Coordinates of all heavy atoms in Angstrom, one line a residue:
A3 N -3.9 9.6 -4.4 CA -3.7 10.5 -3.3 C -3.0 9.8 -2.1 O -2.1 10.4 -1.5 CB -5.0 11.2 -2.8
A4 N -3.4 8.7 -1.9 CA -2.9 7.9 -0.7 C -1.4 7.6 -0.9 O -0.6 7.8 0.1 CB -3.6 6.6 -0.4
L5 N -1.0 7.2 -2.1 CA 0.4 7.0 -2.3 C 1.2 8.2 -2.4 O 2.4 8.2 -2.0 CB 0.5 6.1 -3.6 CG 0.0 4.7 -3.5 CD1 0.1 4.0 -4.8 CD2 0.8 3.9 -2.5
G6 N 0.7 9.3 -2.8 CA 1.4 10.6 -2.7 C 1.7 11.0 -1.3 O 2.8 11.4 -1.0
T7 N 0.8 10.8 -0.4 CA 1.0 11.0 1.1 C 2.0 10.1 1.6 O 2.9 10.5 2.4 CB -0.4 10.9 1.8 OG1 -1.3 11.8 1.3 CG2 -0.2 11.2 3.3
I8 N 1.8 8.8 1.2 CA 2.9 7.8 1.7 C 4.2 8.2 1.3 O 5.2 8.1 2.0 CB 2.5 6.4 1.3 CG1 1.2 6.0 2.1 CG2 3.6 5.4 1.5 CD1 0.6 4.7 1.5
G9 N 4.4 8.6 -0.1 CA 5.7 9.0 -0.6 C 6.3 10.2 0.1 O 7.4 10.2 0.4
S10 N 5.5 11.2 0.5 CA 5.9 12.3 1.2 C 6.4 11.9 2.6 O 7.4 12.4 3.1 CB 4.8 13.4 1.4 OG 4.5 13.9 0.1
T11 N 5.7 11.0 3.3 CA 6.0 10.6 4.6 C 7.3 9.8 4.5 O 8.2 10.0 5.4 CB 4.9 9.7 5.2 OG1 3.7 10.5 5.2 CG2 5.2 9.3 6.6
L12 N 7.5 9.0 3.5 CA 8.8 8.2 3.4 C 9.9 9.1 3.2 O 10.9 9.0 3.8 CB 8.6 7.2 2.2 CG 7.7 6.1 2.4 CD1 7.5 5.3 1.1 CD2 8.2 5.1 3.5
A13 N 9.7 10.1 2.4 CA 10.8 11.1 2.0 C 11.2 11.8 3.3 O 12.4 12.1 3.5 CB 10.4 12.0 0.9
A14 N 10.2 12.2 4.1 CA 10.5 12.9 5.4 C 11.3 12.0 6.3 O 12.1 12.6 7.1 CB 9.2 13.4 6.0
A15 N 11.2 10.7 6.2 CA 12.0 9.8 7.0 C 13.3 9.4 6.3 O 14.0 8.4 6.7 CB 11.1 8.6 7.4
S16 N 13.6 10.0 5.2 CA 14.9 9.8 4.4 C 14.8 8.3 3.8 O 15.9 7.7 3.7 CB 16.0 10.0 5.3 OG 16.2 11.3 5.7
V17 N 13.7 7.8 3.4 CA 13.6 6.6 2.7 C 12.7 6.8 1.5 O 12.0 7.8 1.4 CB 13.0 5.4 3.6 CG1 14.0 5.1 4.7 CG2 11.7 5.8 4.3
G18 N 12.5 5.8 0.7 CA 11.6 5.9 -0.5 C 10.9 4.6 -0.7 O 11.0 3.7 0.1
F19 N 10.1 4.6 -1.7 CA 9.3 3.4 -2.1 C 10.2 2.2 -2.3 O 9.8 1.0 -2.0 CB 8.4 3.6 -3.3 CG 7.2 4.4 -3.0 CD1 7.1 5.7 -3.6 CD2 6.2 4.0 -2.2 CE1 6.0 6.5 -3.3 CE2 5.0 4.8 -1.9 CZ 5.0 6.0 -2.5
E20 N 11.4 2.4 -2.7 CA 12.3 1.3 -2.9 C 12.8 0.6 -1.6 O 13.3 -0.5 -1.6 CB 13.6 1.7 -3.8 CG 14.5 2.7 -3.0 CD 14.1 4.2 -3.1 OE1 13.0 4.4 -3.7 OE2 14.8 5.0 -2.5
D21 N 12.6 1.3 -0.5 CA 12.9 0.8 0.9 C 11.8 0.1 1.6 O 11.9 -0.4 2.7 CB 13.4 1.9 1.7 CG 14.6 2.6 1.1 OD1 15.6 1.9 0.8 OD2 14.6 3.8 0.9
V22 N 10.6 0.0 0.9 CA 9.4 -0.5 1.5 C 9.6 -2.0 1.6 O 10.0 -2.8 0.7 CB 8.2 -0.2 0.7 CG1 7.0 -1.1 1.2 CG2 7.8 1.2 0.8
E23 N 9.4 -2.6 2.9 CA 9.5 -4.0 3.1 C 8.2 -4.7 3.4 O 8.2 -5.9 3.3 CB 10.5 -4.2 4.3 CG 11.8 -3.8 4.1 CD 12.8 -4.1 5.1 OE1 12.4 -4.4 6.3 OE2 14.0 -4.2 4.9
E24 N 7.2 -4.0 3.7 CA 5.9 -4.6 4.0 C 4.7 -3.7 3.5 O 4.9 -2.4 3.7 CB 5.8 -4.8 5.5 CG 4.6 -5.5 6.0 CD 4.8 -5.7 7.5 OE1 4.6 -4.8 8.2 OE2 4.8 -6.8 7.9
V25 N 3.8 -4.3 2.9 CA 2.6 -3.5 2.4 C 1.3 -4.2 2.9 O 1.2 -5.4 2.7 CB 2.6 -3.3 0.9 CG1 1.4 -2.6 0.4 CG2 3.9 -2.8 0.4
W26 N 0.4 -3.4 3.5 CA -0.9 -3.8 3.8 C -1.9 -3.0 3.1 O -1.8 -1.8 3.0 CB -1.1 -3.7 5.3 CG -0.4 -4.7 6.2 CD1 0.9 -4.7 6.5 CD2 -1.0 -5.8 6.8 NE1 1.1 -5.8 7.3 CE2 0.0 -6.5 7.5 CE3 -2.3 -6.3 6.9 CZ2 -0.2 -7.6 8.2 CZ3 -2.5 -7.5 7.6 CH2 -1.5 -8.1 8.3
V27 N -2.9 -3.6 2.5 CA -3.9 -3.0 1.8 C -5.3 -3.4 2.4 O -5.6 -4.5 2.5 CB -3.9 -3.2 0.2 CG1 -5.0 -2.5 -0.4 CG2 -2.6 -2.9 -0.3
Y28 N -6.1 -2.4 2.8 CA -7.4 -2.7 3.4 C -8.4 -2.1 2.4 O -8.4 -1.0 1.9 CB -7.6 -1.9 4.7 CG -6.6 -2.4 5.8 CD1 -5.4 -1.8 5.9 CD2 -6.9 -3.5 6.5 CE1 -4.5 -2.2 6.9 CE2 -6.0 -3.9 7.6 CZ -4.8 -3.3 7.7 OH -3.9 -3.6 8.6
L29 N -9.3 -3.0 1.9 CA -10.3 -2.6 0.9 C -11.7 -2.8 1.4 O -12.1 -3.8 2.0 CB -10.2 -3.5 -0.3 CG -8.8 -3.4 -1.1 CD1 -8.7 -4.4 -2.1 CD2 -8.7 -2.0 -1.8
A30 N -12.6 -1.8 1.1 CA -14.0 -1.9 1.5 C -14.6 -2.9 0.5 O -15.6 -3.6 0.9 CB -14.7 -0.6 1.3
D31 N -14.1 -3.1 -0.6 CA -14.7 -4.1 -1.6 C -13.5 -4.7 -2.4 O -12.8 -4.0 -3.1 CB -15.5 -3.3 -2.6 CG -16.2 -4.3 -3.6 OD1 -15.8 -5.4 -3.7 OD2 -17.2 -3.8 -4.2
V32 N -13.3 -6.0 -2.0 CA -12.1 -6.8 -2.5 C -12.1 -6.8 -4.1 O -11.1 -7.1 -4.7 CB -11.9 -8.1 -1.9 CG1 -11.6 -8.0 -0.5 CG2 -13.1 -9.0 -2.2
R33 N -13.2 -6.5 -4.6 CA -13.3 -6.5 -6.2 C -12.4 -5.4 -6.7 O -12.2 -5.4 -7.9 CB -14.7 -6.4 -6.7 CG -15.5 -7.7 -6.3 CD -17.0 -7.6 -6.7 NE -17.6 -6.6 -5.8 CZ -18.9 -6.4 -5.7 NH1 -19.7 -6.9 -6.5 NH2 -19.4 -5.5 -4.8
D34 N -12.1 -4.4 -5.9 CA -11.2 -3.3 -6.3 C -9.8 -3.7 -6.3 O -8.9 -2.9 -6.8 CB -11.4 -2.1 -5.4 CG -12.8 -1.5 -5.5 OD1 -13.4 -1.6 -6.6 OD2 -13.3 -0.9 -4.6
W35 N -9.4 -4.9 -6.0 CA -8.0 -5.2 -5.8 C -7.2 -5.1 -7.1 O -6.1 -4.6 -7.1 CB -7.9 -6.6 -5.2 CG -6.5 -7.2 -5.3 CD1 -6.0 -8.3 -6.0 CD2 -5.3 -6.5 -4.8 NE1 -4.6 -8.4 -5.9 CE2 -4.1 -7.3 -5.1 CE3 -5.1 -5.4 -4.0 CZ2 -2.9 -7.0 -4.7 CZ3 -3.8 -5.0 -3.7 CH2 -2.7 -5.8 -4.0
E36 N -7.7 -5.5 -8.2 CA -7.0 -5.5 -9.5 C -6.6 -4.0 -9.8 O -5.4 -3.8 -10.2 CB -7.8 -6.1 -10.6 CG -7.8 -7.6 -10.6 CD -8.4 -8.3 -11.7 OE1 -8.3 -7.6 -12.9 OE2 -9.0 -9.3 -11.6
S37 N -7.4 -3.1 -9.5 CA -7.1 -1.6 -9.8 C -6.0 -1.2 -8.9 O -5.1 -0.5 -9.3 CB -8.3 -0.8 -9.7 OG -9.3 -1.2 -10.6
V38 N -6.2 -1.5 -7.6 CA -5.2 -1.1 -6.6 C -3.9 -1.7 -6.9 O -2.8 -1.1 -6.8 CB -5.7 -1.4 -5.2 CG1 -4.6 -1.1 -4.1 CG2 -7.0 -0.6 -4.9
Q39 N -3.9 -3.0 -7.3 CA -2.6 -3.7 -7.5 C -1.8 -3.1 -8.7 O -0.6 -3.0 -8.6 CB -2.9 -5.2 -7.8 CG -1.6 -6.0 -8.1 CD -1.9 -7.4 -8.4 OE1 -3.0 -7.8 -8.9 NE2 -0.9 -8.3 -8.2
S40 N -2.5 -2.7 -9.7 CA -1.9 -2.1 -10.9 C -1.2 -0.8 -10.5 O -0.1 -0.5 -11.0 CB -2.8 -1.9 -12.1 OG -3.8 -0.9 -11.8
V41 N -1.8 0.0 -9.6 CA -1.2 1.2 -9.2 C 0.0 0.9 -8.3 O 1.1 1.6 -8.4 CB -2.3 2.1 -8.5 CG1 -1.6 3.3 -7.8 CG2 -3.3 2.6 -9.4
L42 N -0.1 0.0 -7.4 CA 0.9 -0.4 -6.5 C 2.2 -0.9 -7.3 O 3.3 -0.5 -7.0 CB 0.6 -1.5 -5.5 CG -0.3 -1.1 -4.3 CD1 -0.7 -2.2 -3.5 CD2 0.4 -0.1 -3.4
D43 N 1.9 -1.7 -8.2 CA 3.0 -2.2 -9.2 C 3.7 -1.2 -9.8 O 4.9 -1.2 -10.0 CB 2.4 -3.2 -10.2 CG 1.9 -4.6 -9.6 OD1 2.3 -4.8 -8.4 OD2 1.3 -5.3 -10.3
E44 N 2.9 -0.1 -10.3 CA 3.6 1.0 -11.0 C 4.4 1.8 -10.1 O 5.5 2.2 -10.4 CB 2.4 1.9 -11.6 CG 3.0 3.0 -12.4 CD 1.9 3.8 -13.1 OE1 0.9 3.2 -13.5 OE2 2.0 5.1 -13.0
V45 N 4.0 2.1 -8.9 CA 4.7 2.9 -7.9 C 5.8 2.2 -7.2 O 6.9 2.7 -7.1 CB 3.7 3.5 -6.9 CG1 4.4 4.2 -5.8 CG2 2.7 4.4 -7.5
L46 N 5.6 1.0 -6.8 CA 6.6 0.3 -6.0 C 7.6 -0.5 -6.8 O 8.7 -0.9 -6.3 CB 5.8 -0.7 -5.0 CG 5.0 -0.1 -3.9 CD1 4.3 -1.2 -3.1 CD2 5.8 0.8 -3.1
G47 N 7.2 -0.8 -8.1 CA 8.2 -1.5 -9.0 C 8.2 -3.0 -8.8 O 7.5 -3.6 -8.0
P48 N 8.9 -3.7 -9.7 CA 8.9 -5.1 -9.7 C 9.5 -5.8 -8.5 O 9.2 -7.1 -8.3 CB 9.7 -5.5 -10.9 CG 10.7 -4.3 -11.1 CD 9.9 -3.1 -10.6
D49 N 10.3 -5.2 -7.7 CA 10.9 -5.8 -6.5 C 10.1 -5.6 -5.3 O 10.7 -5.9 -4.2 CB 12.3 -5.4 -6.4 CG 13.2 -5.8 -7.6 OD1 12.9 -6.9 -8.1 OD2 14.1 -5.0 -7.9
A50 N 8.9 -5.1 -5.4 CA 8.1 -4.8 -4.2 C 7.7 -6.0 -3.5 O 7.5 -7.1 -4.1 CB 6.9 -4.0 -4.6
P51 N 7.5 -6.0 -2.1 CA 7.1 -7.1 -1.4 C 5.7 -7.4 -1.7 O 4.9 -6.5 -2.1 CB 7.2 -6.7 0.1 CG 7.2 -5.2 0.0 CD 7.8 -4.8 -1.3
A52 N 5.3 -8.7 -1.6 CA 3.9 -9.1 -1.9 C 3.0 -8.4 -0.8 O 3.3 -8.5 0.4 CB 3.7 -10.6 -1.9
P53 N 2.0 -7.8 -1.1 CA 1.1 -7.1 -0.2 C 0.2 -8.1 0.5 O -0.2 -9.1 0.0 CB 0.3 -6.1 -1.0 CG 0.2 -6.7 -2.3 CD 1.6 -7.5 -2.5
T54 N -0.2 -7.8 1.8 CA -1.2 -8.5 2.5 C -2.5 -7.7 2.2 O -2.5 -6.4 2.4 CB -1.0 -8.5 4.0 OG1 0.3 -9.2 4.2 CG2 -2.1 -9.2 4.8
V55 N -3.5 -8.3 1.7 CA -4.7 -7.6 1.3 C -5.9 -8.1 2.3 O -6.1 -9.3 2.4 CB -5.1 -7.9 -0.1 CG1 -6.4 -7.2 -0.5 CG2 -4.0 -7.5 -1.0
V56 N -6.6 -7.1 2.9 CA -7.7 -7.4 3.8 C -9.0 -6.8 3.3 O -9.0 -5.5 3.1 CB -7.3 -7.0 5.2 CG1 -8.4 -7.2 6.2 CG2 -6.0 -7.5 5.7
G57 N -10.0 -7.5 3.2 CA -11.3 -6.9 2.9 C -12.0 -6.6 4.2 O -12.1 -7.5 5.1
T58 N -12.6 -5.4 4.3 CA -13.2 -5.0 5.6 C -14.4 -4.1 5.3 O -14.3 -3.2 4.4 CB -12.2 -4.4 6.6 OG1 -13.0 -4.0 7.7 CG2 -11.5 -3.2 6.0
R59 N -15.4 -4.1 6.0 CA -16.6 -3.3 5.9 C -16.6 -2.2 7.0 O -17.5 -1.5 7.1 CB -17.8 -4.1 5.9 CG -17.9 -5.0 4.7 CD -19.4 -5.6 4.7 NE -19.4 -6.5 3.6 CZ -19.8 -6.2 2.3 NH1 -20.0 -5.0 2.0 NH2 -19.9 -7.2 1.4
T60 N -15.5 -2.1 7.7 CA -15.5 -1.2 8.9 C -14.7 0.1 8.7 O -14.0 0.6 9.6 CB -15.0 -1.9 10.1 OG1 -13.6 -2.4 9.9 CG2 -15.9 -3.1 10.5
M61 N -14.6 0.5 7.4 CA -13.8 1.6 7.0 C -14.5 3.0 6.9 O -14.0 3.9 6.4 CB -13.0 1.3 5.7 CG -12.1 0.1 5.9 SD -11.3 -0.4 4.3 CE -10.7 1.2 3.6
G62 N -15.8 3.0 7.3 CA -16.5 4.2 7.1 C -16.7 4.5 5.6 O -17.1 3.6 4.9
R63 N -16.4 5.8 5.2 CA -16.5 6.1 3.8 C -15.3 5.9 3.0 O -15.4 6.0 1.8 CB -16.9 7.6 3.7 CG -18.3 7.9 4.3 CD -18.7 9.3 4.2 NE -17.8 10.3 3.6 CZ -17.9 11.5 3.6 NH1 -18.8 12.1 4.4 NH2 -17.0 12.3 3.0
A64 N -14.2 5.4 3.6 CA -13.0 5.1 2.8 C -13.2 3.9 2.0 O -13.9 2.9 2.4 CB -11.9 5.0 3.8
V65 N -12.6 3.8 0.9 CA -12.7 2.6 0.0 C -11.3 1.8 0.0 O -11.3 0.6 -0.3 CB -13.1 2.9 -1.4 CG1 -14.5 3.4 -1.4 CG2 -12.2 3.9 -2.1
V66 N -10.3 2.5 0.4 CA -8.9 1.8 0.4 C -8.1 2.5 1.4 O -8.1 3.7 1.6 CB -8.2 1.8 -1.0 CG1 -7.9 3.2 -1.4 CG2 -7.0 1.0 -0.9
E67 N -7.3 1.7 2.2 CA -6.3 2.2 3.1 C -5.0 1.4 2.8 O -5.1 0.2 2.7 CB -6.7 2.1 4.5 CG -5.7 2.5 5.5 CD -6.2 2.4 7.0 OE1 -7.4 2.6 7.2 OE2 -5.3 2.1 7.8
I68 N -3.9 2.1 2.7 CA -2.7 1.5 2.5 C -1.6 1.8 3.6 O -1.5 2.9 3.9 CB -2.1 1.9 1.1 CG1 -3.0 1.5 0.0 CG2 -0.7 1.2 0.9 CD1 -2.7 2.1 -1.3
Q69 N -1.0 0.8 4.1 CA -0.1 0.9 5.1 C 1.3 0.3 4.7 O 1.3 -0.8 4.1 CB -0.5 0.2 6.4 CG 0.4 0.2 7.6 CD -0.2 -0.6 8.7 OE1 -1.3 -0.7 8.9 NE2 0.7 -1.1 9.5
V70 N 2.4 1.0 4.9 CA 3.7 0.4 4.5 C 4.6 0.5 5.6 O 4.5 1.4 6.4 CB 4.3 1.1 3.2 CG1 3.3 1.0 2.0 CG2 4.7 2.5 3.5
T71 N 5.6 -0.4 5.6 CA 6.8 -0.3 6.5 C 8.0 -0.3 5.6 O 8.2 -1.0 4.7 CB 6.8 -1.5 7.4 OG1 5.6 -1.6 8.2 CG2 7.9 -1.5 8.4
A72 N 8.9 0.6 6.0 CA 10.2 0.8 5.2 C 11.3 0.8 6.2 O 11.2 1.1 7.3 CB 10.2 2.1 4.4
K73 N 12.5 0.4 5.6 CA 13.7 0.3 6.4 C 14.8 1.1 5.7 O 15.0 1.0 4.6 CB 14.1 -1.1 6.6 CG 15.4 -1.3 7.4 CD 15.7 -2.8 7.5 CE 16.9 -3.0 8.4 NZ 17.2 -4.4 8.6
R74 N 15.5 1.9 6.5 CA 16.6 2.7 6.0 C 17.8 1.6 5.7 O 18.0 0.8 6.5 CB 17.1 3.7 7.0 CG 16.3 4.8 7.1 CD 16.9 6.0 7.9 NE 15.9 7.0 8.3 CZ 15.6 7.4 9.4 NH1 16.4 7.1 10.5 NH2 14.7 8.3 9.6
R75 N 18.4 1.8 4.6 CA 19.5 0.9 4.3 C 20.8 1.5 4.6 O 21.1 2.7 4.6 CB 19.3 0.6 2.8 CG 17.9 0.0 2.5 CD 17.9 -0.8 1.3 NE 16.6 -1.2 1.0 CZ 15.9 -2.2 1.5 NH1 16.5 -3.0 2.4 NH2 14.7 -2.5 1.1

């Protein structure tokens, strides 16, 4: 669901996942990283930037938050 929302937001700005230059992933439990990474790899592709991953316990009920920065080419 999070990546669908991100994709819609990118499209509204006339960019796509291929234009992503920076990825931040916040996880309530860093043991979830492998699952999140496989989804990111599938959506962002092989040329995606390496994500910064942060484990945090201050996310309330959320288990993952993803933030991206993209640049129009």
Side-chain angles (χ1 to χ4, degrees):
L5 289 173
T7 302
I8 291 170
S10 297
T11 303
L12 291 170
S16 300
V17 294
F19 284 113
E20 66 277 3
D21 301 305
V22 170
E23 294 189 339
E24 185 176 69
V25 179
W26 284 76
V27 179
Y28 300 90
L29 295 170
D31 186 341
V32 295
R33 292 175 290 188
D34 293 332
W35 168 239
E36 286 186 32
S37 298
V38 173
Q39 182 182 22
S40 67
V41 173
L42 284 175
D43 288 347
E44 184 178 319
V45 172
L46 296 176
D49 296 327
T54 299
V55 181
V56 179
T58 179
R59 296 193 182 269
T60 60
M61 294 177 49
R63 294 182 0 195
V65 294
V66 63
E67 179 178 324
I68 301 170
Q69 176 183 334
V70 302
T71 303
K73 182 177 181 180
R74 287 190 193 131
R75 303 201 189 276

